[in-house]
Amino acid sequence: MKAKHQRLVLIGLAVAAMIGAALLAMSALKDQAAYFYTPSDAIRDHVEAGRAVRLGGMVADKSIKREPDGITIRFIVTDNAATVPVRFTGITPDLFKEKSGVVAEGAFDASGTFIATNILAKHDERYMPPQVARGMHKTESLVR
Amino acid sequence: MHIFANPARFLTIARPLTPWLGWIGALLIVAGSIGGLFITPPDYLQGDSVRILYIHVPAAWLGMAGWSGIAAASLMQLVWRHPLASVAARAMALPGGLFTAICLASGSIWGRPTWGTWWEWDGRLTSMLILLFLYIGYGALTSATSGRQSGDRIAAIYGIVGAVNLPIIHYSVLWWNTLHQGQSIGLTSSKIAPSMLWPLPLTMLGFTLLFVAIVLMRMRAALAEGKVEARLRRLANA
């Protein structure tokens, strides 16, 4: 075997071992590195009341209700398998709307309502002009 | 690649190629930017802020392509001992890191009006920030060990090890729940409407040509510097 072939094999083995180690680390991180809980995750894992977490999913259609004080809203987050009611007091991003993606930061209260302290809008990977969008439904993509 | 083992032959090709790549790249960037800023329609959801796409996506691509290039050159250096490989790897580090920084900055500016935040520690954003740190580390390593054989080898190993981060960046939006949306453009399909997509290949190709031109310039500068150093050493010994 020539020296350069020996080096190639050696480096190939090292790279394979490295990629294997990285994949193992990533799969171990799978739960910790998740940026948010979906409603199904939150119910399955019994996220305890008061623990600071993020909740992500779609805002259910016709679920946004404004309370009399004018700045508190209630809405329902869904992943088409489970739903969580959310309450939030404050200003939401422009892209926060029904049938659209949302990530809420906050904690569950004792009754199972998610009390959000911050709302982020999550949009999907599709971009299109308004006249195209008007002709089609714009849901489903965030719920895998 | 073996024909470039002779730096003089490399220079006879690189020297005339550099301005062509640079100017055609600049032209494509200008054309794509005009298309992206003035001609394409706004997005149905985001309005005009979607136009950051035409800079953000090429910057992300070149940040990752830059490190792929460093890893490939490092492999050529370690296995085949190609004399220009370490020069090429070092030349790619600065523009690659710069485009990574542009990607992070433009993404942050884009995130504020759309998501409602400048920065979140989600999988895609964090792995891209790690890429920037890798570039900074590479720059520190190569400048600390420049001109030494062992230093070249350490930098090459670092370049190959750092490439582990590239698939993590790519798959972060699939493996984990992230705030960043999934992939819009695949090899065969795109989730961007055609009327909004067309300037993107222009700016992507334009920035890529500009990137190659910068790398060639930096390689030529490094080779010239090496020649000057060798001549000074000969004079000192004489």
Side-chain angles (χ1 to χ4, degrees), chain A residues 4 7 11 15 18 22 26 30 35-36 93 95 105 120-130 133 138, chain B residues 42-44 46 50 75 78-79 81 114-115 120 122 164 175-178 181-182 184 191 193 195-196:
Chain A
K4 70 178 173 189
R7 292 197 294 267
I11 291 173
V15 167
M18 221 165 55
M26 288 307 121
K30 197 152 179 62
Y35 180 67
F36 54 77
L95 264 62
E105 299 175 334
L120 302 173
K122 176 172 162 60
H123 64 84
D124 64 20
E125 66 277 18
R126 291 175 299 174
Y127 304 93
M128 61 192 103
K138 48 187 176 189
Chain B
D43 183 56
Y44 76 105
Q46 305 183 11
V50 76
L75 193 69
L78 289 180
V79 176
R81 304 276 152 90
T114 50
W115 302 339
E120 287 294 321
D122 90 334
V164 164
W175 288 344
W176 304 308
N177 295 330
T178 52
Q181 69 283 3
S184 291
K191 293 188 170 140
S195 62
M196 297 169 70

Side-chain angles (χ1 to χ4, degrees), chain A residues 10-71:
Chain A
L10 205 66
I11 291 173
L13 285 176
V15 167
M18 221 165 55
I19 290 172
L23 281 177
L24 282 178
M26 288 307 121
S27 71
L29 263 174
K30 197 152 179 62
D31 291 331
Q32 279 82 5
Y35 180 67
F36 54 77
Y37 284 93
T38 63
S40 307
D41 293 339
I43 288 163
R44 187 197 62 215
D45 294 352
H46 302 289
V47 177
E48 62 268 35
R51 183 154 74 94
V53 292
R54 297 193 192 89
L55 177 76
M58 305 291 288
V59 181
D61 193 19
K62 300 192 180 69
S63 74
I64 300 180
K65 304 268 187 304
R66 199 163 281 278
E67 302 223 322
D69 68 358
I71 55 164

